[in-house]
């Protein structure tokens, strides 16, 4: 949950006004700016991943003009990015940094062997994806001996309604978040068909795509839920369509389902 309004700005301002030298005042002002940046970033949570400038100002007590200036700085470094008009979310650099840190001791220690096993057993590229705001993000990827060029690179944000893994994540998002995304990001003529496809994914436990993101690429994906917070991850296999036939399609789907089930069982004990 977002933290309550901070007293950091007031405390720093009080120090500056207490007769400090110019050098000490500059150091205090610099510290205050850093603290405000960290305070802003702390508001972007799984429960509330997207904010407006006004929301951030209200949550942190930082003046609106200062919030906007700090967001502009963070955007220049890809730590924050825009999520539609006047809305902001964590950017690709922040996401990548977070997963580099988590990969040392977190659930990546469980999913990485599963991902490697899936890639080895299918001889294809395997990926793990999750939702960040209104985007699907690849957080880990294992290449096969003959890798393919995919738009889903680690840390890159992609739409939630295109690609097998992205659609699996969207299908298992909370209904209000799912409908809000569909209404705002999906063209009206496509919404009915997408809703039907998402319902099918929830019922059968897997999704697939053909050339939806990258030309000539087919993919299958299954959901995996973190035991810690029920976060929906998607584990996926992607390959060129010329390496696919009906028999192999069934085999890849079965391998992905089996890997997802095994990983789900391990994550159930992860707290």
């Amino acid at each position: 949950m977002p933290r309550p309004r901070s007293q950091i700005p007031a405390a720093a301002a009080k120090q500056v006004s207490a007769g400090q030298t110019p050098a000490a005042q500059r150091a205090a002002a610099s510290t205050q700016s850093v603290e405000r940046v960290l305070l802003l970033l702390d508001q972007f949570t799984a429960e509330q991943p997207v904010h407006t400038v006004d929301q951030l100002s209200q949550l942190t007590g930082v003046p609106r003009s200062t919030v906007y200036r700090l967001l502009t700085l963070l955007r220049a470094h890809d730590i924050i990015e825009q999520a539609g008009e006047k809305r902001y979310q964590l950017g690709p650099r922040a996401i990548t940094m977070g997963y580099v840190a988590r990969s040392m001791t977190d659930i990546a220690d469980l999913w990485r062997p599963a991902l490697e096993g899936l890639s080895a057993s299918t001889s294809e590229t395997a990926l793990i994806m999750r939702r960040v705001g209104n985007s699907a993000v690849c957080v880990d990827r294992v290449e096969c001996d003959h890798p393919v060029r995919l738009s889903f690179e680690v840390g890159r944000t992609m739409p939630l309604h295109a690609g097998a893994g992205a659609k699996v994540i969207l299908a298992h998002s909370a209904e209000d978040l799912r409908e809000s995304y569909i209404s705002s990001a999906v063209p009206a003529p496509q919404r009915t068909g997408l809703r039907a496809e998402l319902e099918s994914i929830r019922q059968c436990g897997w999704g697939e795509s053909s050339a939806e993101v990258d030309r000539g690429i087919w993919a299958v994906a299954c959901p995996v839920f973190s035991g810690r917070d029920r976060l929906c991850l998607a584990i996926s296999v992607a390959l060129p369509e010329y390496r696919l036939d009906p028999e192999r399609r069934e085999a890849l789907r079965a391998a992905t389902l089996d890997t997802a089930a095994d990983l789900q069982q391990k994550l159930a004990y992860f707290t």
Side-chain angles (χ1 to χ4, degrees):
M1 296 292 294
R3 292 183 180 178
R5 179 175 297 189
S6 171
Q7 298 301 313
I8 289 171
K14 185 176 181 180
Q15 286 182 337
V16 171
S17 64
Q20 297 175 329
T21 66
Q25 291 179 1
R26 287 194 297 272
S30 177
T31 299
Q32 180 187 22
S33 294
V34 172
E35 289 172 335
R36 283 174 164 177
V37 166
L38 295 175
L39 187 60
L40 286 181
L41 292 174
D42 201 36
Q43 307 312 309
F44 295 88
T45 66
E47 294 82 9
Q48 193 167 356
V50 180
H51 289 280
T52 65
V53 171
D54 288 336
Q55 287 172 334
L56 289 170
S57 179
Q58 183 178 7
L59 287 167
T60 63
V62 177
R64 188 180 185 281
S65 59
T66 302
V67 170
Y68 186 80
R69 176 174 58 81
L70 294 176
L71 288 175
T72 300
L73 174 65
L74 292 169
R75 285 181 62 198
H77 293 275
D78 291 328
I79 296 173
I80 291 291
E81 64 180 12
Q82 283 200 267
E85 188 176 0
K86 299 181 180 180
R87 290 158 61 86
Y88 299 86
Q89 65 185 18
L90 292 179
R93 177 171 288 186
I95 296 165
T96 301
M97 289 168 61
Y99 276 94
V100 168
R102 289 187 65 180
S103 67
M104 298 175 65
T105 58
D106 217 325
I107 57 176
D109 292 331
L110 297 177
W111 82 47
R112 183 68 183 186
L115 207 58
E116 292 173 345
L118 180 59
S119 179
S121 66
T122 61
S123 298
E124 300 296 351
T125 297
L127 310 89
I128 288 278
M129 286 168 278
R130 65 154 293 180
R131 179 174 184 160
V132 177
N134 283 330
S135 300
V137 178
C138 175
V139 296
D140 205 352
R141 175 170 156 173
V142 175
E143 304 287 355
C144 59
D145 292 336
H146 35 271
V148 294
R149 189 176 185 86
L150 300 174
S151 294
F152 276 98
E153 300 173 351
V154 174
R156 182 177 180 183
T157 57
M158 299 292 290
L160 277 166
H161 60 284
K167 290 186 295 186
V168 162
I169 293 169
L170 183 59
H172 291 89
S173 297
E175 183 177 1
D176 58 336
L177 295 178
R178 183 172 66 248
E179 285 303 315
S180 174
Y181 175 84
I182 292 174
S183 298
S184 62
V186 180
Q190 300 176 19
R191 292 172 189 170
T192 299
L194 178 61
R195 289 188 178 100
E197 184 176 9
L198 297 179
E199 177 61 28
S200 175
I201 289 172
R202 288 192 295 273
Q203 293 295 325
C204 68
W206 56 270
E208 66 179 341
S209 62
S210 177
E212 290 184 1
V213 179
D214 296 297
R215 182 181 299 178
I217 297 297
W218 178 88
V220 61
C222 300
V224 180
F225 299 94
S226 164
R228 171 183 290 174
D229 52 16
R230 298 301 294 172
L231 171 71
C232 178
L233 305 171
I235 188 165
S236 177
V237 169
L239 64 151
E241 290 179 315
Y242 68 78
R243 292 208 289 263
L244 192 68
D245 57 40
E247 184 177 351
R248 187 142 199 264
R249 176 182 172 186
E250 293 298 324
L252 291 168
R253 182 189 303 160
T256 307
L257 281 165
D258 288 345
T259 301
D262 182 61
L263 181 56
Q264 180 69 75
Q265 187 175 24
K266 293 176 181 176
L267 288 177
Y269 298 99
F270 183 80
T271 58

